[in-house]
Amino acid sequence: MPRLALYALAVCVLAVVAAVVSFVQGNWLGIVWVLLAGLSSNMGWYYLRRARFERAAASAAPTPAAEASRGVTG
């Protein structure tokens, strides 16, 4: 799992906890924590998907040895 995705997930969990604590105390500032949780959740998904696509692109790319055997020069 990419490091930035883990950080975003940690921020998301902490923001949810902060929102719950804030709402339990009767403070409407918890809305900001909910928005931060949504943002960090989206960032976590983005970094996970980006890492998955990069791995797929790296495995699909031909190796230089394979290109040389086909006679492709660059």
Side-chain angles (χ1 to χ4, degrees), residues 37-62:
L39 176 68
S40 61
S41 171
N42 286 342
M43 288 174 60
W45 279 114
Y46 169 76
Y47 287 122
L48 280 174
R49 288 178 49 104
R50 189 175 89 172
R52 186 183 318 148
F53 289 141
E54 286 176 354
R55 273 196 311 266
S59 66

Side-chain angles (χ1 to χ4, degrees), residues 10-23 33-34 36-38 40:
V11 169
C12 181
V13 169
L14 291 174
V16 168
V17 170
V20 169
V21 168
S22 183
F23 283 130
W33 292 114
V34 170
L36 183 64
S40 61

